[in-house]
Amino acid sequence: MSPTASGKARRQLNAQVITLAHGSGGKAMRDLIEDVFVGGFDNEHLAPLEDQARFELSALATYGNRLAMTTDSYVVDPLFFPGGDIGKLAITGTVNDLAVGGARALYLSCAMIIEEGFAVDKLRRIVASMKRAADEAGVCVVTGDTKVVTRGAADKLFINTTGVGVIPAGIELLSHQAQPGDVVLINGHVGDHGAAIVDARGELSMESTIETDCQLLNDLISCMLDTCPGIHCMRDATRGGIATVLNEFALASDVGIYLDESALPVRKAVRGMCEILGLDPLYLANEGKLIALVPQEFAEPVLQTMLAHPAGTDAAVIGKVTSSPAGRVVLETGFGGERIVDMLVGEQLPRIC
Amino acid sequence: MKEVMKYVDEFRDPVMAHSLITKIGELRDKLALNKGKPLQLMEFCGGHTHTIFRFGIEPLLPDWIELIHGPGCPVCVLPMGRVDDCVALAERPDVIFTTFGDAMRVPGSRKSLLQAKADGADIRMVYSPLDALELARNNPDRQVIFFALGFETTMPSTALTVLSAQSRGIENFSLFCNHITTVPTIKAILDSPDMQIDGFLAPGHVAMVVGEQPFEFIADIYHKPIVVTGFEPLDILQSIWMVLQQLADKRTEVENQYKRIVPKQGNPPGLDAITQVFELRDYFEWRGLGSIDHSGVKMKSEFDAFDAEKKFSVPNLKIADPKSCQCGEVLKGVIRPWECKVFGKACTPESPMGALMVSTEGACAAYYNFGNLSELLARRNRQEALA
């Protein structure tokens, strides 16, 4: 048992399930926080249990000249699915949101809303998964909050993470910078996460298991920016899929984007599910995929950098930026036709992240 | 890198598509094109409409062919009054209301099922009526209603579910039956005085159940060629070619392009299940087309215990379509979707006014979502120049 900052032995949580007492501010809550969270996340910023984490500004400034901050809430159902869980998602999602802005992710907060009756061992598994992802990303969970709500007031567990990072001088990734001639790159297969969640809900009894693509993108992005610091636009394609991200770029930059359907990497099992359910992989959620718009002359070197990285082994050129039709994304179908790819109307699948 | 999917990619081969399009183009000289008016071919089924837009087939066709997108999307043609009935049933505290996902957004006069769910109604999306039956078995203290929707394609599975509920004695299960029939609806379109359609692509999945015979009157009485068509892009192109070939040969008959799925006699056990459980209604109301005789089915009286319309009180009010809506004219090929006064303005996929904007299989929603409007308008100008 590691000691707390005051040198006392850390408190232990012996309960099997979370009760309202664990959110009450009393001893039970102290047991939960010290044992599960402080013990689980295990870092010097969290251990003092002050009401806030504190950082030296001068240390931050060594990484760059701008702070970046982002927040995301995670409500995925089910909590555990092939290739990941809500904890891994809560770290990678927020780190990736910083990374696609060129920021080096440093610190994360973690707020949990837990439904009473939730099993403590599941909570420990989730925190351990968060810790693994945080270590891999090189970030620390430095502050947090815990609320327990009555049965039915929330479904099992919701997590919010907020991330702070620093953007190095000279890196300017902005969605309005797309230029005609830019090349559209993706780092791998489309739609795995959305398909994995549908599969994990077990409503379809599919033959094969589809794994989420949930993965960190920060190191891949850092390598891509080393190859080409002048990448114009970058976003991770989560909810709404790559169709949504490309539409955002097309609208913000007032350009057209042509996608080549036959170049789009989609796994056979994901395509199969889409064919059966009438879903479109372009709109399916991803949790480890980025779209980058790269000046033409850098497209090949950036692609090679991506292919050489474990998070980009299936990277591909999937399209190009044109001057017209401005604000529109057009898919050149593998069949030889063309169609407009619009923003999604309504919800394709609820609670996927 | 791209993995080939067996039984799918063969039917999406661009080289084959190109040769079919060339063959279609070569038929032009053999066809007596009327006063320069483009030939109008109707694909009845929403599944075909979806394929046509998803693969961008329309712009690949010569200008002298115009596709008219028919009323074969059961979600689209569901009248507002029936949606209101669904909401009323779903809002009963003792009810779990089950439905296919695509019916959730269809607007009623007060609200859609999606809004009713947000307001607290217990509405669940299922992939099969058997899932609803299972839900009934697992919730014996609740009433589980399945919203049965669709043409003959989905009738056998709901009929068999009712028979299964009966034989297993699952009494808390019932059906809100909104099944509709294909043939009377095609007949209503053919009888319409402003009808201009030259040939039909028949719905392959309906034919899989009912067979070829029910479509014969279209060729024999109305003298229009009709081809039972599959749902992959090459199926559609081949069927267009087959319809044109009939026109060129001055033949009118029922041909079957979708032989790999559709036997001539259909699916007799499926038809047996349908006739065991369902009987024709005198008439049924369609959004956009109004009331059509014998265009819907209801459950036979011996299944009253499983009929939600008998088991619960359903408001059953008739709500008129908005006046500005021109869905009926679009459905008959009199105007194109974008020529409707409210298209893309008062009527959009986010807040649909008319039937055809409701589901992605509706012609207007398909044009709105997938269509390149400037290209469509240019195409219309070219077609008018032909005249």
Side-chain angles (χ1 to χ4, degrees):
Chain A
M1 188 193 309
S2 58
T4 59
S6 61
K8 286 185 189 162
R10 192 169 280 148
R11 300 175 70 104
Q12 291 280 310
L13 178 69
N14 294 316
Q16 305 290 307
V17 295
I18 300 293
T19 64
L20 288 176
H22 292 110
S24 66
K27 280 187 176 172
M29 182 162 146
R30 187 87 186 178
D31 292 347
L32 170 67
I33 289 173
E34 284 202 15
D35 186 359
V36 177
F37 296 124
V38 178
F41 291 129
D42 189 23
N43 67 69
E44 57 177 3
H45 296 280
L46 188 60
L49 285 179
E50 295 294 345
D51 276 354
Q52 67 294 118
R54 302 166 193 194
F55 326 103
E56 294 293 330
L57 286 177
S58 55
L60 293 178
T62 60
Y63 294 113
N65 60 356
R66 285 153 299 164
L67 274 181
M69 185 172 166
T70 188
T71 191
D72 212 337
S73 298
Y74 299 87
V75 299
V76 66
D77 178 37
L79 298 175
F80 300 89
F81 41 85
D85 56 63
I86 189 171
K88 182 178 179 185
L89 208 57
I91 301 294
T92 51
T94 298
V95 168
N96 289 347
D97 277 347
L98 289 172
V100 292
R104 178 183 169 138
L106 295 170
Y107 303 113
L108 261 54
S109 73
C110 167
M112 292 208 180
I113 297 169
I114 310 170
E115 186 186 19
E116 72 175 319
F118 193 69
V120 169
D121 68 321
K122 279 189 188 165
L123 188 62
R124 288 186 197 275
R125 272 172 68 197
I126 288 164
V127 171
S129 167
M130 293 178 82
K131 169 70 171 160
R132 267 196 306 279
D135 285 350
E136 191 191 336
V139 298
C140 290
V141 176
V142 294
T143 186
D145 177 54
T146 311
K147 295 283 184 324
V148 180
V149 297
T150 51
R151 208 174 256 280
D155 186 14
K156 301 182 281 287
L157 174 69
F158 298 155
I159 302 178
N160 171 276
T161 54
T162 294
V164 173
V166 178
I167 304 175
I171 299 295
E172 291 285 0
L173 291 163
L174 292 163
S175 58
H176 65 72
Q177 294 184 142
Q179 297 286 329
D182 283 358
V183 171
V184 184
L185 288 166
I186 189 163
N187 65 317
H189 293 99
V190 172
D192 293 1
H193 180 72
I197 297 300
V198 175
D199 192 16
R201 287 181 187 162
E203 291 161 346
L204 284 176
S205 323
M206 304 239 304
E207 269 174 30
S208 57
T209 300
I210 301 171
E211 282 208 3
T212 174
D213 61 340
C214 179
Q215 63 175 344
L216 289 162
L217 297 173
N218 54 336
D219 192 58
L220 171 68
I221 292 169
S222 148
C223 295
M224 290 166 71
L225 288 170
D226 285 346
T227 305
C228 174
I231 292 176
H232 286 153
C233 311
M234 193 186 294
R235 266 192 195 167
D236 56 338
T238 52
R239 264 176 309 170
I242 66 166
T244 302
V245 170
L246 290 165
N247 269 288
E248 286 165 357
F249 289 155
L251 284 171
S253 301
D254 204 29
V255 293
I257 297 179
Y258 272 80
L259 278 186
D260 176 1
E261 189 177 37
S262 57
L264 206 64
V266 186
R267 283 183 210 283
K268 203 169 159 184
V270 175
R271 266 189 81 196
M273 175 186 282
C274 286
E275 289 293 334
I276 293 167
L277 293 184
L279 301 173
D280 188 338
L282 293 174
Y283 295 96
L284 275 187
N286 309 278
E287 285 295 343
K289 292 293 135 53
L290 63 82
I291 298 276
L293 303 191
V294 180
Q296 197 170 14
E297 62 273 27
F298 285 99
E300 188 52 34
V302 172
L303 177 65
Q304 291 309 323
T305 301
M306 294 167 83
L307 288 168
H309 192 280
T313 46
D314 296 304
V317 171
I318 57 167
K320 58 180 184 293
V321 177
T322 53
S323 52
S324 73
R328 287 287 206 173
V329 180
V330 180
L331 182 79
E332 295 174 311
T333 71
F335 192 64
E338 280 185 6
R339 69 171 158 94
I340 300 282
V341 178
D342 202 356
M343 294 263 196
L344 190 60
V345 174
E347 180 74 85
Q348 224 185 359
L349 302 160
R351 288 186 62 189
I352 39 162
C353 60
Chain B
M1 170 192 330
K2 184 129 180 164
E3 295 170 291
V4 170
M5 191 177 293
K6 213 171 169 192
Y7 309 125
V8 174
D9 289 329
E10 296 92 325
F11 298 99
R12 298 178 184 178
D13 176 24
V15 178
M16 191 82 86
H18 184 76
S19 89
L20 273 169
I21 289 161
T22 309
K23 278 173 74 177
I24 287 170
E26 285 165 2
L27 283 179
R28 183 186 174 160
D29 293 340
K30 298 187 183 143
L31 292 162
L33 291 181
N34 241 338
K35 302 169 294 237
K37 163 188 162 305
L39 279 174
Q40 291 189 322
L41 310 183
M42 172 180 276
E43 88 280 1
F44 180 83
C45 178
H48 288 153
T49 308
H50 187 78
T51 299
I52 288 164
F53 282 94
R54 181 175 160 203
F55 292 91
I57 289 176
E58 217 162 20
L60 299 174
L61 294 173
D63 285 345
W64 49 270
I65 298 174
E66 186 181 357
L67 296 178
I68 306 298
H69 314 296
C73 160
V75 173
C76 301
V77 297
L78 190 69
M80 256 192 213
R82 298 300 280 191
V83 180
D84 288 354
D85 293 345
C86 287
V87 170
L89 286 169
E91 284 180 338
R92 292 176 59 103
D94 56 337
V95 162
I96 300 174
F97 192 85
T98 58
T99 173
F100 294 139
D102 49 0
M104 292 289 282
R105 288 179 50 246
V106 186
S109 69
R110 280 195 304 134
K111 52 176 110 167
S112 66
L113 284 168
L114 196 67
Q115 288 160 327
K117 183 171 189 288
D119 292 342
D122 190 348
I123 300 173
R124 309 203 193 167
M125 281 188 254
V126 291
Y127 294 106
S128 148
L130 285 170
D131 294 345
L133 188 61
E134 216 36 43
L135 208 56
R137 204 175 61 83
N138 294 330
N139 293 274
D141 53 338
R142 305 281 302 278
Q143 288 292 330
V144 175
I145 302 176
F146 176 69
F147 179 27
L149 188 63
F151 288 94
E152 290 87 343
T153 320
T154 51
M155 281 186 206
S157 63
T158 37
L160 288 167
T161 305
V162 170
L163 292 170
S164 173
Q166 190 187 43
S167 70
R168 294 161 69 190
I170 304 177
E171 289 168 359
N172 61 326
F173 174 83
S174 60
L175 211 65
F176 182 46
C177 181
N178 285 272
H179 281 303
I180 43 183
T181 56
T182 312
V183 167
T185 312
I186 298 186
K187 189 170 177 306
I189 292 170
L190 285 164
D191 284 337
S192 151
D194 43 8
M195 209 285 302
Q196 312 184 19
I197 292 156
D198 299 290
F200 288 86
L201 307 187
H205 289 155
V206 171
M208 169 183 82
V209 176
V210 304
E212 294 178 21
Q213 190 276 329
F215 298 104
E216 281 171 3
F217 76 100
I218 298 172
D220 296 345
I221 299 173
Y222 291 88
H223 308 294
K224 304 284 180 193
I226 178 159
V227 175
V228 174
T229 305
F231 293 85
E232 291 298 328
L234 286 184
D235 291 327
I236 305 248
L237 286 177
Q238 188 181 20
S239 294
I240 290 173
W241 176 76
M242 287 167 77
V243 169
L244 296 177
Q245 191 67 57
Q246 283 197 41
L247 288 170
D249 297 348
K250 303 200 165 36
R251 284 182 291 130
T252 57
E253 51 195 85
V254 181
E255 288 183 294
N256 186 356
Q257 181 275 336
Y258 203 27
K259 283 200 170 117
R260 66 182 187 277
I261 298 288
V262 178
K264 193 173 173 59
Q265 77 283 9
N267 175 1
L271 287 168
D272 282 351
I274 292 176
T275 47
Q276 226 179 313
V277 175
F278 298 119
E279 62 188 7
L280 284 178
R281 291 177 195 263
D282 292 338
Y283 58 88
F284 196 73
E285 190 73 22
W286 292 57
R287 197 182 280 220
L289 289 175
S291 178
I292 301 176
D293 287 351
H294 302 133
S295 66
V297 299
K298 61 183 177 187
M299 293 168 80
K300 288 183 170 170
S301 56
E302 60 253 52
F303 296 98
D304 279 358
F306 299 96
D307 187 343
E309 284 180 85
K310 302 273 170 54
K311 217 166 157 178
F312 310 98
S313 74
V314 174
N316 205 4
L317 291 178
K318 188 173 177 298
I319 312 279
D321 291 327
K323 281 202 175 62
S324 47
C325 218
Q326 294 180 284
C327 285
E329 288 157 273
V330 174
L331 285 173
K332 285 177 279 188
V334 181
I335 64 168
R336 287 91 163 181
W338 63 89
E339 292 170 330
C340 170
K341 291 188 288 290
V342 290
F343 177 85
K345 298 181 191 114
C347 185
T348 63
E350 291 101 284
S351 59
M353 276 177 78
L356 297 174
M357 196 60 98
V358 169
S359 143
T360 51
E361 291 189 359
C364 293
Y367 275 103
Y368 189 91
N369 288 325
F370 294 148
N372 184 339
L373 273 187
S374 53
E375 163 59 25
L376 287 171
L377 293 174
R379 183 180 165 81
R380 188 180 70 189
N381 291 339
R382 289 199 300 274
Q383 282 174 347
E384 281 168 0
L386 270 177

